[in-house]
Amino acid sequence: MESCRRSFLKIAGISVLGLGARPVLDVMAASGSEQGKPLAMKNEQALQAKRWALVIDTRKLASEEDLQPMIAVCHKIHNVPKLENKQHEIKWIWTEEFKHAFSEQEHEFVDDRIKHLPFLTLCNHCEKPSCVRACPTKATYKGEGGIVLMDFHRCIGCRFCMAACPYGSRSFNFRDPRPFIKETNLKFPTRMKGVVEKCNFCNERLAVGKPPACVEVSKGALIFGDLEDPESLVRKLLKSNFSIRRKPALGAGPSVFYIV
Ligand code: SF4
Ligand code: SF4
């Protein structure tokens, strides 16, 4: 596990921080656990970046089966409930067919195979997040490294953020989600009825020196690192491969890139 962590640090172009990691912990403490306790208790191994980015190498992810481990681990560690009613569904990371994920790239001559290929979709941790602008209580805010976070305690359930997000990255708890969590992870807060939630780029794991869980189980298909560091692997991959982002014309500046 330690060698896995070391190799992540090396390829991500980021450093293990000492006292400088404090801002990450502040973010964690602000979002709070259910009892209001900080989620991360030690700061000596926290990771920081100027702007976190996720690169998804879709060439390594050919089928739904390839994508399921990332979804399963994310939803398990973040206490995401499994609700059968599609209208009440809660999702942090999910799959969309190409034609839906990249509708602006669709045209009549796109190969049928590509049209129906599944792509991983999640919050894009936008550089200019419209959800943050729309939230009247500052329950959603931009934290360290550009990560767009939720303070569940401040959310009043108005859903302005959901209306403002052009990617459908947010879910609303129409009912108490707790009975629908298979196995509760006591280290992460559960949510309540009337609260919005979404992917947090595994901020709680970064605070203790670990990469996002989806990256860890992706067998190299997902790469996470600092977009502002020209030496990071994400920057090198983006330089040497053709990549796309979702709805770039909107100008939100998504931090999730897809190598195609
Ligand atoms: S994808 Fe949506 S929820 Fe995520 S930061 Fe951008 S606007 Fe906000
Ligand atoms: S970065 Fe973390 S929270 Fe976001 S989709 Fe991956 S596992 Fe889930």
Side-chain angles (χ1 to χ4, degrees), residues 23-24 27 47-54 123-129 131-132 140-149 198-201 203 206 224-228 252-256:
V24 175
V27 169
L47 307 178
Q48 258 188 353
K50 285 193 179 136
R51 183 177 168 195
W52 290 113
L54 180 68
C123 169
N124 287 286
H125 298 276
C126 304
E127 193 180 8
K128 296 177 193 150
C131 55
V132 171
T140 192
Y141 60 98
K142 215 170 168 186
E144 287 296 313
I147 299 179
V148 176
L149 293 165
K198 67 167 197 70
C199 156
N200 65 353
F201 259 1
N203 195 44
L206 299 174
F224 194 67
D226 190 351
L227 202 57
E228 296 281 316
S255 302
V256 178

Side-chain angles (χ1 to χ4, degrees), residues 181-200:
I181 300 168
K182 206 169 166 195
E183 198 183 325
T184 304
N185 171 14
L186 297 175
K187 292 183 181 158
F188 197 81
T190 54
R191 278 72 70 191
M192 57 194 285
K193 184 178 173 182
V195 167
V196 170
E197 59 183 88
K198 67 167 197 70
C199 156
N200 65 353

Side-chain angles (χ1 to χ4, degrees), residues 73-86:
V73 72
C74 172
H75 287 186
K76 184 166 190 276
I77 65 169
H78 294 118
N79 294 324
V80 175
K82 179 103 184 113
L83 291 156
E84 296 307 330
N85 183 342
K86 279 276 170 201

Side-chain angles (χ1 to χ4, degrees), residues 45-224:
Q45 292 185 317
L47 307 178
Q48 258 188 353
K50 285 193 179 136
R51 183 177 168 195
W52 290 113
L54 180 68
V55 174
I56 301 177
D57 189 341
T58 65
R59 298 168 302 187
K60 296 178 178 167
L61 300 165
S63 66
E64 281 280 348
E65 291 79 63
D66 292 339
L67 306 179
Q68 282 312 315
M70 281 78 102
I71 297 170
V73 72
C74 172
H75 287 186
K76 184 166 190 276
I77 65 169
H78 294 118
N79 294 324
V80 175
K82 179 103 184 113
L83 291 156
E84 296 307 330
N85 183 342
K86 279 276 170 201
Q87 287 176 330
H88 293 179
E89 191 181 19
I90 307 289
K91 50 193 188 179
W92 284 34
I93 178 168
W94 69 100
T95 63
E96 291 280 5
E97 287 187 350
F98 178 86
K99 60 182 182 176
H100 295 132
F102 301 101
S103 47
E104 72 284 351
Q105 312 266 356
E106 249 272 275
H107 58 76
E108 61 192 300
F109 303 112
V110 170
D111 183 71
D112 263 357
R113 189 187 66 86
I114 304 283
K115 260 188 204 171
H116 299 293
L117 262 187
F119 284 78
L120 273 181
T121 43
L122 63 156
C123 169
N124 287 286
H125 298 276
C126 304
E127 193 180 8
K128 296 177 193 150
S130 48
C131 55
V132 171
R133 282 201 303 278
C135 177
T137 66
K138 300 203 183 332
T140 192
Y141 60 98
K142 215 170 168 186
E144 287 296 313
I147 299 179
V148 176
L149 293 165
M150 275 299 298
D151 180 343
F152 301 124
H153 296 292
R154 292 182 79 103
C155 179
I156 55 170
C158 66
R159 290 183 274 163
F160 287 0
C161 60
M162 292 182 73
C165 172
Y167 302 101
S169 299
R170 293 172 166 264
S171 302
F172 181 68
N173 284 285
F174 282 96
R175 53 192 303 175
D176 181 2
R178 289 161 188 155
F180 302 94
I181 300 168
K182 206 169 166 195
E183 198 183 325
T184 304
N185 171 14
L186 297 175
K187 292 183 181 158
F188 197 81
T190 54
R191 278 72 70 191
M192 57 194 285
K193 184 178 173 182
V195 167
V196 170
E197 59 183 88
K198 67 167 197 70
C199 156
N200 65 353
F201 259 1
C202 282
N203 195 44
E204 81 285 3
R205 287 173 57 91
L206 299 174
V208 293
K210 293 180 184 170
C214 57
V215 173
E216 196 169 73
V217 302
S218 73
K219 299 181 183 160
L222 271 56
I223 303 97
F224 194 67

